[in-house]
Amino acid sequence: LGGPGTYSDDARNNFNHILGWLKWWACSRSFGLGTRVPWDEQFLIESLSDSTIYMAYYCVAHLLQGDDMYGQTQNRVRPEDMTNEVWDHIFLGKPAPANCAVPPELLAKMKQEFEYWYPFDLRVSGKDLIGNHLTMALYNHTAIWPDQPGKWPRAIRCNGHLMLNSEKMSKSKGNFKTLKQAVEEFSADATRWALADAGDGMDDANFETTIANAAILRITKELVFIEEALAPQSGLRDGEPTALFDRSFDNAINIAIAQAKEAYDRLMFREAVKAAAYDLGNARDAYRQACGPEGMNKKLIRRYIEVSAKLLAPIIPHTSEHIWTNLLKQQGSVLNSGWPQGQEPDFIMQRAAQYIEDLIPSMRALKSKAEMPPRKKGAGPPPTPVKVVHGDMFVAERFGGWQEGVLLALQGAFNKETKSFPPDVINRVVEAMKVHESMAGKSEKEVKATTLPFAKLKVEEATKGGLQVLDVRLPFDELALLNNYMSYLKRALNLESLEVHLTTDTEALQKASIPINVANVYPATPAVAFRTEPLA
């Protein structure tokens, strides 16, 4: 069990539990079909434990059956020709038996096929078979090839059962759908999408018809976008994608490539769909909004389409093939085009882009609040409606006070080589902050309430972005970033005028329409003052 990958700690723990008691499993039975026990033929070898190296038979079955899976053609090899000595030659490498009835060239071919294909790389099966079949497969492989770990299983992936719309499938209750029915109702690709989205791990997966229907709509809308983007009059921007929002979207594509590969390697298909479709699609939509009337970059959008088709080919192969062949006019099949290439993801740039996307809704809420007329008590004319005409944003260059103390404590615990923290890192932060001057007079409970949310966020960010995330300054220039995205911000907030200042700019602070408490301004947490005028 130390060799095969199980893709899940739950699966490995289940295997360990079963190995603890399976030695008491009866190895024979007195009735049914199966192979007679060689030394006492009144008994049969227990069928589950007798059948779990049949994966080895897969390697030669097509040769024995003459490529006829139904066995309707006359083959050169009879069942009685396949003696124990013949199987020992094919599977164990022992000398070929004398006077072997199997033609020499066919025998050599079977041995070659087995040596080429074995061991099996992956066995996918239900979690209920860990208790018998799958564990016995491990036993039998190690028993038959005791000195050849290279013939032992490389990986076993266990999954749960399939529910339909959060309920167990049942014909009697009418909650039942065959694969044929699903394909006819939703199409093959939408069915595959819903199955991939049904759940990862060993928990029971849940096929939701709403997800399948949503997949149809999403695929259709994506095809419309691609056709319009590839049209001669697309309105896309020519030239190299050098603008900041171009580079940010290009980085989002690189992140999708890396995350989708990691998810596929772990057979986590819901995570793969999230990275390759949902997250990348959201990044494309944000890029389109950021570009505004200037339009998206033509080269970058073509790269997005090509990468998206490749990333989703395992999930929606028919749609990806249509995009690759008929829309992109590429030669060959998308299934043979290889995994898309991308640069190392820049998680600092991703964080900067996410900062802009998170900032906009919070700024909208503040703008709406500024334009909301004050509540008036008693009778009298209603308050004059106002409109925000200008905004002043104030950003801090560095963290100070208790936040600086948390960052310094985390810096001391961070391992730069592994991009990780020791298991007790949070306890270390608490101990450091209990004696920090900013926490003087506070109880341990108050210290934790103040510092731990910030500390946990920085731990998560540092495992992705490295030590620079723990600096007292942001890993990106907040002031420059906001100025680079200024046209997008003004368009998204429907503002005629917007300016960004440092909290050290005393002149700007004095001119602000409302007082700004710079003590409450932190990096990535700007303050804003809106100036309003009466609506005409």
Side-chain angles (χ1 to χ4, degrees):
L1 187 59
T6 59
Y7 296 94
S8 164
D9 290 338
D10 288 341
R12 185 173 294 278
N13 292 337
N14 281 350
F15 273 110
N16 280 320
H17 172 70
I18 298 302
L19 289 170
W21 62 261
L22 198 63
K23 61 185 177 182
W24 302 112
W25 187 282
C27 67
S28 65
R29 60 175 60 181
S30 58
F31 63 91
L33 299 175
T35 305
R36 296 288 175 184
V37 175
W39 57 87
D40 192 345
E41 294 196 357
Q42 67 173 310
F43 293 106
L44 298 163
I45 297 175
E46 197 280 318
S47 56
L48 277 174
S49 58
D50 188 34
S51 64
T52 50
I53 63 158
Y54 56 78
M55 306 84 170
Y57 178 75
Y58 292 165
C59 300
V60 299
H62 61 294
L63 300 174
L64 292 175
Q65 296 174 213
D67 290 324
D68 174 18
M69 64 182 294
Y70 298 105
Q72 295 177 345
T73 58
Q74 185 66 36
N75 299 318
R76 292 187 294 169
V77 180
R78 300 170 301 169
E80 54 267 29
D81 296 336
M82 298 301 295
T83 62
N84 289 341
E85 291 75 19
V86 171
W87 287 119
D88 286 348
H89 171 67
I90 297 171
F91 291 157
L92 303 182
K94 293 183 177 181
N99 303 319
C100 179
V102 180
E105 72 280 1
L106 183 59
L107 188 63
K109 180 65 175 175
M110 285 193 285
K111 190 173 188 303
Q112 179 187 31
E113 288 284 296
F114 171 73
E115 292 293 341
Y116 178 84
W117 290 110
Y118 233 63
F120 65 81
D121 296 286
L122 175 67
R123 188 70 182 173
V124 180
S125 192
K127 61 184 179 181
D128 52 313
L129 295 185
I130 293 177
N132 43 69
H133 182 94
L134 295 174
T135 305
M136 292 174 182
L138 297 180
Y139 270 124
N140 280 330
H141 279 83
T142 55
I144 294 174
W145 294 281
D147 302 319
Q148 294 180 271
K151 293 290 192 295
W152 298 352
R154 289 184 176 173
I156 297 174
R157 174 68 156 89
C158 297
N159 52 262
H161 302 115
L162 183 64
M163 297 188 295
L164 178 60
N165 294 325
S166 302
E167 294 183 6
K168 182 180 178 181
M169 280 205 281
S170 170
K171 286 185 177 180
S172 61
K173 295 181 179 179
N175 191 50
F176 189 82
K177 193 179 294 292
T178 66
L179 189 60
K180 182 175 185 293
Q181 289 170 335
V183 170
E184 290 174 348
E185 184 175 352
F186 305 113
S187 80
D189 279 2
T191 299
R192 293 170 66 94
W193 185 301
L195 286 169
D197 199 73
D200 293 326
M202 286 176 53
D203 294 332
D204 289 346
N206 180 33
F207 183 95
E208 296 186 65
T209 55
T210 55
I211 297 295
N213 283 318
I216 296 172
L217 180 60
R218 190 179 187 97
I219 291 170
T220 303
K221 290 174 67 176
E222 188 68 11
L223 289 175
V224 171
F225 167 81
I226 293 172
E227 290 169 359
E228 292 177 348
L230 297 176
Q233 304 300 323
S234 63
L236 297 182
R237 170 168 40 94
D238 291 317
E240 295 299 316
T242 56
L244 179 59
F245 36 79
D246 292 335
R247 291 184 282 117
S248 179
F249 180 49
D250 190 53
N251 182 60
I253 296 174
N254 294 332
I255 290 173
I257 292 172
Q259 291 181 342
K261 184 180 187 305
E262 181 185 2
Y264 281 129
D265 286 345
R266 295 186 296 119
L267 300 184
M268 304 295 276
F269 297 107
R270 174 186 276 178
E271 290 186 15
V273 170
K274 180 179 181 297
Y278 297 122
D279 291 349
L280 186 55
N282 291 339
R284 188 273 316 275
D285 293 341
Y287 173 59
R288 177 163 45 186
Q289 293 294 326
C291 290
E294 295 180 5
M296 299 177 288
N297 182 269
K298 183 181 294 185
K299 289 184 178 179
L300 194 53
I301 287 301
R302 184 173 180 91
R303 183 190 181 220
Y304 159 78
I305 296 170
E306 291 177 355
V307 169
S308 179
K310 290 185 176 186
L311 294 183
L312 288 172
I315 308 297
I316 49 172
H318 309 89
T319 302
S320 293
E321 193 68 49
H322 168 67
I323 294 170
W324 188 258
T325 305
N326 299 326
L327 301 183
L328 290 171
K329 308 298 182 184
Q330 297 280 19
Q331 297 297 315
S333 169
V334 68
L335 302 179
N336 296 325
S337 62
W339 187 254
Q341 299 300 307
Q343 295 180 347
E344 187 72 19
D346 185 343
F347 289 103
I348 301 304
M349 182 174 288
Q350 181 197 30
R351 183 181 170 197
Q354 190 60 51
Y355 163 74
I356 294 294
E357 294 307 310
D358 292 341
L359 177 66
I360 289 173
S362 64
M363 290 278 286
R364 281 177 179 155
L366 291 172
K367 179 173 177 280
S368 297
K369 185 177 180 180
E371 292 178 334
M372 188 179 299
R375 293 182 179 180
K376 189 172 182 179
K377 296 181 180 180
T384 304
V386 297
K387 175 184 178 181
V388 171
V389 295
H390 176 76
D392 286 294
M393 293 181 62
F394 294 88
V395 298
E397 289 187 287
R398 57 171 290 146
F399 289 101
W402 67 265
Q403 291 176 320
E404 181 178 4
V406 169
L407 291 171
L408 293 177
L410 290 175
Q411 287 177 22
F414 187 68
N415 187 321
K416 292 187 291 185
E417 295 181 359
T418 61
K419 284 188 178 181
S420 64
F421 293 92
D424 65 340
V425 62
I426 296 300
N427 291 334
R428 293 191 190 187
V429 170
V430 173
E431 292 302 313
M433 294 309 298
K434 281 162 63 175
V435 296
H436 195 271
E437 59 183 2
S438 64
M439 295 288 119
K442 293 183 180 293
S443 66
E444 182 173 336
K445 183 177 180 180
E446 290 173 321
V447 170
K448 289 182 177 180
T450 302
T451 62
L452 290 195
F454 179 72
K456 290 177 180 178
L457 173 65
K458 288 300 176 182
V459 166
E460 182 181 349
E461 291 180 345
T463 56
K464 293 182 179 180
L467 183 62
Q468 59 185 333
V469 172
L470 302 177
D471 196 88
V472 294
R473 299 174 185 270
L474 285 178
F476 56 86
D477 188 331
E478 187 176 5
L479 183 69
L481 178 71
L482 290 169
N483 282 319
N484 270 301
Y485 275 91
M486 184 58 68
S487 60
Y488 174 37
L489 291 171
K490 290 193 291 187
R491 191 169 59 251
L493 298 171
N494 193 23
L495 277 175
E496 299 174 7
S497 175
L498 179 65
E499 295 181 10
V500 187
H501 318 276
L502 292 174
T503 52
T504 53
D505 188 340
T506 55
E507 184 179 349
L509 286 168
Q510 291 173 357
K511 291 181 179 179
S513 58
I514 60 172
I516 298 294
N517 185 357
V518 296
N520 293 329
V521 182
Y522 310 113
T525 310
V528 61
F530 288 119
R531 187 172 73 241
T532 62
E533 291 181 359
L535 275 174

